[in-house]
Every structure is written in structure tokens, then in C-alpha cells.
Amino acid sequence: MDNGKSPASVHSSTKSPVYSFVAPSRSVKRPRPVKSCLECRKRKLRCDRASPCSQCQKAQRQCRYAAEGEVVSLSDGSDAETPERTVKRNRAAVSQESNQRDASSGSNYAAVLEEHANRLERLENQLLSRTSSIAESSAPAQRPAASSLTIRGLTVKGGLRTRFFGQMSTRVLVNLFDEAKDFMFARNKSSDIREMFMNIQKIHKALQDEHRKATAPITVFVDSMTPIQKRMADVLPSRAVCDALLDVYLHGSETIYRVLHIPTFMRQYNQYWEGQTQPDAFLPQLLSILCVGYRYVGAGKGQYPDREGIHIPTASSLVRTWLDSLRGKQLVEFSTLQAEILQLMAQRMINPQNQESWTHLGLIVRMAMTMGFHRDPSEFAQKISPFWAEQRRKLWYTILELDVHMSMQCNLPCCIREGDFTCQPPRNLNDEDIHPGTEQLPPSKPIDQDTDSRVQVFAASTLSMRFRIVDIINRTDTLQDYSQVLELGNELERVFEDIRYIVPPTHSNDMQEVRRRWMTRVVLDMNCRRPLLALYRPFALSDTDVPQQIVTGYLRSSMILLCYLDELDPQSPDYHHIWHMHQLVLKQEILQAAFSVCYYMKQSTHGSVSPTSSNVKSESAEESCTIASESSIMLSLPRLKSVVQKVLDTMNRRIREIGTDLRDIVSLTVVYNTSQGGTPEQKREAIKAGLQAILDADIAVPDTTTIEYDATQLRLRKPHAAVYGGPGYAEYGMCLPTTYYRGTESDYSGIR
């Protein structure tokens, strides 16, 4: 501006226009009458105005007062009285200066107002033009929307007992299939169908009772007055069994969830069997490790006492008792936090309630934060050695992985937000590369080089986008467009390309090496495949028009997850073990992917608009699947049907497994057979055949419980149990009697 004012003055004027517009006139004080003596005024002393004053008496000065009418110099004091003409002349000068200032200030303020008005008009024009261009470019798109019935649910019993279910719950997924729901909950079922549902209901009730008893700890150990360390030692199996289970755990779980420094733990493990005293936290950690390893060994392991393993409910309960007994400084020990995480992992082996695990993890998160794990150890370099700094990073990122995974499964927010921590990821090193005496950490190895920490390090590089995905799926109602969803989807697709580059498929005669590389690739892939499916699911399975990338990516990812095992030879010696681990770890994801594939089958066979594109009309099932993916062979309708049928056969084989819900199998059976198309009679016969397959499933597992059913009676028969073979079980005199359980007769509709 050319008004002669500085920017600071203009800014001041615009902030307070009233005060700058009318400049305050300078007031002229009338001089006070002179009352102090001349000497006190000259020396600026307090005068008591006596004659002579006390100040002059002390200094032995001549005390004199100004005579009336005498002119006193201004230099002698500020309260000197001036002649009347001087006051008038000053007043006139001040009045003239004030008028000039008022005129200048008024003209400047008017200029400022005019300038601001022009700037405001320009900004309005720019904003309107930008808004119109955005509206024109985004006119065909619409705000993302998904039916609340297909993304969340709430069960209410008695008005007070409530439980929230997210988009990954079977209760929510079934809402996508109205025909299947109507069939399952219809009151006018035919007599043969009703009888099948009644028998299935009896099996369901009986299995629930059996699972409840199988997951209960042995009271003779839990309620004993024997010291807790002695009881934990008594439930340990033989060393040969412990060696095998520990090896299974280290290769199956200590990859992405890094809890132990393997050389240190193995040294403690060997010393324990040699009779040397170990820290109090060692046995709780070992018991939890054995529980996880035993569940990985095979189906039904750890549910019942036997001589070749460990009873998971009892061992987990003893570890929990030990943890609850800790007080004070014991609660902030590094080993205590390790034991808490391992106990959570062991409990998840027998407790399928994800929300309980999510709640328990919240306590672990806060425990870790009170110990400072969320801050990078470099901030406390003088207090924490390089070795323990690296161990803290590994444990913290294990907690982050568990938090993201459990939050997605429960469809609930993460306990930790992305900006809540400064801890850096661990380095890509082998555990043997560092030890407690390490003074400086070696440099991190390339990510394509296999190490003990490679899986966790690679997963840590994707944590940021997975945190954002959990945030988005918990606020889908607030999204204005698909940009964030598509952006995150593209980032994850690039991650899959990196995985294929880092761990490419290999063809070798060394089956152990093939199996190891396959497990590494699957762990890395499913770690990002899960969040991608959770990100796309609310939109891909909705009735609104969505970008083709979302539905294409969702169907393709669902099929990839269901076909992980296709790379392995079913005739290989360890295939059954890998198959069991695959079903155990991905049980929930497999069920959700099967329901999703059924949704695409229903869309295709009913001749509706292709679920993969809002603008393409599918003339056949093969064409619809080809639009959804470049691989028409993998996604053809016969391929989709065979994959879901394979899932049903697998679930029937695992009916007796802890965590298997018979209601899920029945729901998927009905949904699958109603999604294939055909006449109502054809669908009814297909459903009937599927229900009969459930009843005919081989649920008599060796050394476990046999279930017998007929139209009116259901009985579970358990073989005679022998005394458990742990070293200390004989002194407790523990054995299991033969027991019988009876189910109650009711319609299947009462299950849900």
C-alpha cells in the first residue's frame, strides 16, 4: 500500500479499527500549586511543608518557599505552574496536531477497508471457481455407503446384556443373503428338514458342553495349596516332548511375534533341565510356549489330558495365577511383560472370543507404556544397553501387531494410535548377532536376506497403512469418497509385489526348504491380505455402485486366501501338520472369504448387474468373474463353487475342534446352496444334502469323544481316560471318569 503506514501499523489498524480510526487527543494536565520548599523540590526530597522543613533542618540548609505569583522554572520540578498564555499556546498546538492525526487515521483506515474488501472478493471468486470444478469432476461419483446390517450388529438380551459384532462376524455376513436367512428361520419347515435341524441342534448343544468342559482347568492343580512354581513344574511333560513343542513354537510363532531372544531362552531352558535355578518368570513363559506349540501340532491337541503333551487350560490358568500374584516392582519387569504376551497367545489357542483377547491386550498395552516401551530406547541411551534396546523394540512391535490384528477381527479401534509412540522398528538381524554384552548394534541386513527378525521387520514397514485401515473401517460412515480406500488399496497391492520379489516361489527337492519359504511368504502375505479384505469388505459387499478396483481386489484376495495350500503337495509327509496350522490361524478369515465368494456367486447366477462393475452387464457367470479379475480360470464360477465346497468339507472334518461353531457351518451350507441358483426345489434338495453331510461327518475322533444321534436322543461318550503322564500328576491322584452328556431338543432357530 502507498498510504505511508508500515505493515505493522496496518495490521494493528485492521485488528482494532475503532481505536485506530479515532486517535486519542493528548490531554494537558493543569499544573499543581507549589507547596514544597524550593530545596526539597530541587533535590526531589519528601517535604513535610513545615517552616523550616525537617529535610532542611537536617542538612542545615536555608529553607525557602516560593512567593505567590513567583515563576518557578520547569527544570526545578514537574508541578511548576506556568503562565496562562503558555498553557493556551500548548493547547492550541495539541488541538491542531490531534485534528491532523484524526484526518490521516480516517483516510488510512478507509484505504485498509477498501483493500480488504477487494481481497475478500478475489478469495470468494477463487473459492467458487474451485468448488464448481470439483463438483463437475466428481458429479458421477457418490458418497460411499454400506448398509448398517452388513457392517455391524448388536445382540441385546434382557435389555441389559449387549454384545457388539463387526463386519467380520458371521451374524453380520448372513444378512447379505435374505433367501438363506428366510430358509433357516422359517417356522413352516417340512418335517424332514425340521428333523435335520433338531438333530444338528442336539449336536450343537452337546459339543458346546463338551468344549466347555474341555477348556476348564483341572481343579486339583488350580485349587491346590502347593506353591505355584511347584504346580507349574508338575504339569510339564517330559523333556523330549518339551523339546518338540518348543521347536514347533519357534518355527511357527516366533517369526512375526518376536517375544524371546532365542539364544538366551535356550540357555535358560537347558540349565533348567540340568537342575539349575532359573528366574521365576521362566516357567510361566515355558508353559505358555508349550501351549501354543501343542495346538500347532495337530487337531484336538491340548484339549484333553494325555501323556504326550500339556493340558492347555490348566497350564494357562496356572500362568494367570502367577501373573496375578505379582506386586510392585515385579509388574514392571521385562520378563513379566513377556509372560503376559505369551499367556495371551496361549489363551487364544482355546478361547475363540476375540473381544476378550482385545480387552486383555488393552491392559498389556498400558502396562508396556508405563514401562516406557512406546518411546525409542535411544532417548534413554545412557540407561539402556544396545542389546536390551533392541529387545524392547521387538517386544513393542509384537504388541503393535497384536493390536492391529485383534482390532480388525473385532471391528473395534486400536488401543494404540499411529502418533502415540516413537519407538523405531527392530533391525533385520539374527538373534545370534547380538548378546547382552554387545556395545554397538551391527548394521541391519538387507530385507531379502533371511534372518530371525525378517518377517517382523517387513511387517513393521506396513504398520502405518494398516493403522490407517483400522481407522477407516471404524468410521466408514464419515467417508466422503473412495479416494482414501483406493489409495490404501494401491499401497497394499504394491506390498504384495514386494513380497513376491523378496520370497519368490521355489521348486526344490528339499521339502523342508520349500515348506519354510512357503510359510514365510504366506505369513507376510496374510499379514497384509487381512487388512485389504477388511478395507474392501463394507463396499464390495454393498448394493451401491463402487469402483471396479474394490470389488476386483476383494474377490481376488478372497480366492488367494482360500487357495494358500494349493502350492503344497498333499502327499508330502508334513502336509497334514501345515493344513492344521493353516486352518487354526486363518479359521475366521477362511469363513469370511467363503461367505464373500458365495455373494459373488449369487450376484452372477441371478443375472444381476455384475458385482465387479456398476456399468457392465454380466451375460454369464464366467464373464462376471473375468471382469472382476484378469484370471478368468481362477475366478470362473465352477472354480468358485469347488473352493467353497472344499471349505465346507474341511469345516465338517474339524467339527470337534475348539473354536468351531456348528452354527457357522450350517449357515455357510445354506448360503452356499441358495447362491448356486436353480429352482426352489433344487435349492431345497441341495440344502438337505448339505445338512445330511454335517450329520454324517466323521465326528468320532480317536481318543476323544464319540457323538451318537437319532431323532429323539443324543449322547456323547468319552473313552476311559488314563492318568495324565506329567511328572507330578501321580501325587495328585488325578484321573478322568467316563462321562455322558445329553442334549436338549429344540429347533435350529433357537441357536442364534
Side-chain angles (χ1 to χ4, degrees):
M1 296 183 224
D2 55 354
N3 51 14
K5 296 186 70 178
S6 66
S9 62
V10 172
H11 180 68
S12 174
S13 301
T14 57
K15 285 186 67 174
S16 304
V18 175
Y19 302 111
S20 61
F21 183 77
V22 182
S25 60
R26 181 179 299 173
S27 61
V28 179
K29 295 183 179 180
R30 296 181 63 84
R32 293 177 296 176
V34 178
K35 296 182 180 180
S36 302
C37 70
L38 296 179
E39 292 296 328
C40 288
R41 285 174 51 80
K42 184 177 181 180
R43 291 171 173 80
K44 296 183 180 180
L45 299 175
R46 184 179 181 83
C47 183
D48 58 3
R49 299 173 184 176
S51 183
C53 69
S54 59
Q55 297 287 357
C56 291
Q57 287 180 354
K58 291 178 182 179
Q60 296 180 354
R61 290 190 299 267
Q62 183 182 1
C63 184
R64 188 176 71 86
Y65 290 84
E68 185 176 355
E70 182 182 355
V71 178
V72 181
S73 174
L74 288 176
S75 62
D76 294 339
S78 61
D79 58 347
E81 189 174 356
T82 58
E84 184 68 20
R85 62 179 178 273
T86 304
V87 174
K88 289 183 179 180
R89 185 171 60 251
N90 290 341
R91 286 180 179 177
V94 169
S95 176
Q96 182 179 4
E97 180 182 354
S98 175
N99 293 336
Q100 293 175 355
R101 186 174 298 162
D102 290 347
S104 174
S105 177
S107 61
N108 290 339
Y109 183 65
V112 170
L113 286 180
E114 183 179 359
E115 177 66 19
H116 282 201
N118 294 334
R119 291 174 60 187
L120 183 61
E121 184 178 0
R122 289 195 299 269
L123 288 174
E124 289 178 348
N125 293 335
Q126 293 177 4
L127 182 61
L128 290 174
S129 61
R130 183 176 301 178
T131 304
S132 61
S133 62
I134 294 177
E136 291 175 0
S137 62
S138 60
Q142 65 180 57
R143 180 175 178 176
S147 173
S148 60
L149 292 176
T150 63
I151 59 177
R152 67 180 69 91
L154 186 74
T155 60
V156 181
K157 294 185 178 180
L160 299 177
R161 292 169 50 196
T162 60
R163 186 181 294 274
F164 175 80
F165 295 95
Q167 59 168 333
M168 297 190 180
S169 170
T170 306
R171 297 169 182 261
V172 176
L173 290 171
V174 169
N175 291 327
L176 294 166
F177 307 92
D178 294 334
E179 186 179 3
K181 261 177 56 176
D182 294 341
F183 184 90
M184 285 189 290
F185 297 106
R187 295 292 181 180
N188 57 344
K189 298 184 181 75
S190 60
S191 59
D192 54 345
I193 297 293
R194 173 175 289 274
E195 183 178 349
M196 285 184 172
F197 273 105
M198 289 170 57
N199 286 326
I200 290 174
Q201 171 68 5
K202 294 173 184 177
I203 295 176
H204 172 72
K205 291 291 185 181
L207 288 176
Q208 278 189 322
D209 292 339
E210 179 64 16
H211 289 172
R212 192 178 302 111
K213 293 179 181 296
T215 55
I218 302 173
T219 56
V220 71
F221 286 100
V222 178
D223 300 336
S224 174
M225 298 301 293
T226 307
I228 186 63
Q229 289 286 340
K230 177 66 166 59
R231 283 181 279 164
M232 287 191 291
D234 287 341
V235 299
L236 278 178
S238 64
R239 172 157 191 187
V241 174
C242 290
D243 290 346
L245 298 184
L246 177 58
D247 184 70
V248 171
Y249 167 82
L250 293 178
H251 289 89
S253 183
E254 194 71 22
T255 52
I256 191 170
Y257 300 133
R258 295 304 317 275
V259 181
L260 307 173
H261 180 248
I262 298 176
T264 300
F265 184 83
M266 292 304 299
R267 183 173 61 254
Q268 294 177 342
Y269 177 77
N270 292 326
Q271 291 174 353
Y272 172 79
W273 289 109
E274 294 171 0
Q276 300 182 31
T277 303
Q278 296 302 315
D280 290 345
F282 171 75
L283 268 181
Q285 293 177 8
L286 178 59
L287 284 179
S288 298
I289 288 171
L290 298 180
C291 290
V292 176
Y294 201 34
R295 280 293 283 153
Y296 283 168
V297 167
K301 298 298 184 181
Q303 300 177 27
Y304 308 101
D306 58 52
R307 295 184 176 88
E308 298 179 355
I310 187 169
H311 189 231
I312 296 177
T314 301
S316 182
S317 179
L318 291 176
V319 174
R320 185 73 261 163
T321 301
W322 178 82
L323 288 169
D324 293 340
S325 68
L326 301 180
R327 295 292 182 272
K329 297 179 180 178
Q330 295 173 313
L331 295 173
V332 291
E333 290 282 349
F334 184 87
S335 57
T336 300
L337 184 59
Q338 288 176 303
E340 282 281 4
I341 296 174
L342 289 171
Q343 197 275 337
L344 172 64
M345 297 169 63
Q347 187 64 26
R348 281 172 55 81
M349 294 292 102
I350 57 172
N351 185 4
Q353 297 296 332
N354 291 318
Q355 291 181 342
E356 294 182 13
S357 299
W358 181 80
T359 303
H360 184 192
L361 181 65
L363 300 177
I364 294 178
V365 167
R366 282 149 184 81
M367 177 180 176
M369 284 186 165
T370 59
M371 297 170 66
F373 274 72
H374 62 301
R375 309 301 299 183
D376 192 74
S378 61
E379 301 176 19
F380 319 102
Q382 296 179 349
K383 300 180 180 180
I384 302 177
S385 66
F387 171 79
W388 287 111
E390 191 68 5
Q391 298 311 117
R392 289 169 68 94
R393 294 186 182 102
K394 292 178 183 178
L395 203 59
W396 175 251
Y397 273 82
T398 294
I399 295 174
L400 294 180
E401 289 292 341
L402 290 170
D403 188 24
V404 171
H405 174 52
M406 293 184 187
S407 297
M408 280 191 297
Q409 284 194 322
C410 299
N411 211 163
L412 293 170
C414 286
C415 303
I416 309 169
R417 294 172 298 181
E418 189 174 359
D420 289 345
F421 60 93
T422 61
C423 185
Q424 296 299 310
R427 301 191 182 189
N428 187 31
L429 300 172
N430 285 309
D431 284 3
E432 296 178 351
D433 296 336
I434 57 176
H435 52 83
T438 300
E439 296 182 357
Q440 185 177 1
L441 293 176
S444 181
K445 298 179 180 179
I447 194 62
D448 58 349
Q449 185 171 343
D450 190 20
T451 67
D452 297 332
S453 301
R454 178 169 71 158
V455 174
Q456 186 184 48
V457 171
F458 185 87
S461 67
T462 65
L463 262 178
S464 176
M465 64 182 75
R466 286 186 283 143
F467 269 120
R468 284 183 285 160
I469 288 175
V470 175
D471 176 62
I472 286 179
I473 62 179
N474 281 283
R475 58 175 183 86
T476 54
D477 298 336
T478 65
L479 295 178
Q480 299 298 322
D481 53 44
Y482 292 105
S483 59
Q484 296 183 56
V485 178
L486 296 175
E487 179 183 356
L488 285 172
N490 291 330
E491 291 184 27
L492 286 174
E493 291 292 347
R494 288 192 290 270
V495 171
F496 297 139
E497 296 177 2
D498 295 339
I499 294 173
R500 287 190 289 269
Y501 172 76
I502 295 172
V503 193
T506 182
H507 301 283
S508 172
N509 295 328
D510 186 355
M511 297 307 300
Q512 187 175 0
E513 176 66 15
V514 172
R515 171 176 171 267
R516 186 188 62 81
R517 293 181 65 86
W518 175 86
M519 288 191 64
T520 301
R521 185 169 60 256
V522 167
V523 170
L524 291 175
D525 186 90
M526 74 178 182
N527 199 49
C528 294
R529 193 76 60 184
R530 283 166 168 164
L532 181 65
L533 289 169
L535 175 67
Y536 283 167
R537 183 178 293 112
F539 314 107
L541 302 184
S542 65
D543 293 331
T544 58
D545 295 337
V546 296
Q548 182 177 343
Q549 173 184 333
I550 292 178
V551 287
T552 298
Y554 186 72
L555 178 59
R556 182 170 57 244
S557 290
S558 297
M559 289 294 291
I560 290 175
L561 188 143
L562 294 175
C563 299
Y564 277 149
L565 291 175
D566 290 357
E567 298 182 32
L568 300 179
D569 181 11
Q571 305 302 322
S572 60
D574 56 353
Y575 178 82
H576 182 75
H577 169 65
I578 299 176
W579 173 84
H580 166 71
M581 287 187 62
H582 175 262
Q583 299 296 327
L584 183 67
V585 174
L586 293 175
K587 175 177 65 68
Q588 188 174 359
E589 287 78 7
I590 290 173
L591 184 64
Q592 295 155 5
F595 272 101
S596 302
V597 172
C598 289
Y599 177 81
Y600 282 87
M601 290 168 50
K602 182 189 72 169
Q603 295 292 93
S604 299
T605 55
H606 288 183
S608 60
V609 176
S610 169
T612 59
S613 175
S614 58
N615 300 320
V616 180
K617 182 74 173 180
S618 62
E619 299 177 358
S620 66
E622 289 77 7
E623 181 182 354
S624 174
C625 296
T626 303
I627 296 173
S629 174
E630 299 176 356
S631 175
S632 59
I633 298 177
M634 176 183 177
L635 301 179
S636 63
L637 189 58
R639 173 69 170 164
L640 300 182
K641 291 181 179 180
S642 65
V643 168
V644 178
Q645 184 62 58
K646 190 175 181 180
V647 171
L648 281 171
D649 295 341
T650 300
M651 294 177 69
N652 285 336
R653 291 172 59 187
R654 295 175 61 85
I655 268 183
R656 302 245 341 111
E657 274 294 296
I658 294 292
T660 298
D661 194 336
L662 197 58
R663 297 172 297 183
D664 294 339
I665 305 178
V666 174
S667 299
L668 182 59
T669 298
V670 177
V671 165
Y672 169 66
N673 289 289
T674 55
S675 301
Q676 296 188 61
T679 63
E681 183 61 28
Q682 291 174 335
K683 294 180 181 179
R684 179 184 176 280
E685 291 300 320
I687 294 173
K688 185 176 177 181
L691 297 178
Q692 188 62 46
I694 296 176
L695 296 174
D696 294 340
D698 183 13
I699 53 179
V701 183
D703 296 328
T704 58
T705 302
T706 301
I707 299 180
E708 300 174 354
Y709 71 88
D710 54 34
T712 58
Q713 185 179 12
L714 181 74
R715 182 177 63 190
L716 273 74
R717 185 176 68 254
K718 177 185 281 286
H720 294 279
V723 177
Y724 186 57
Y729 275 64
E731 67 182 76
Y732 291 88
M734 192 280 294
C735 64
L736 296 180
T738 303
T739 54
Y740 294 89
Y741 310 95
R742 185 178 300 275
T744 58
E745 180 177 349
S746 64
D747 187 19
Y748 178 77
S749 60
I751 294 180
R752 295 189 177 276

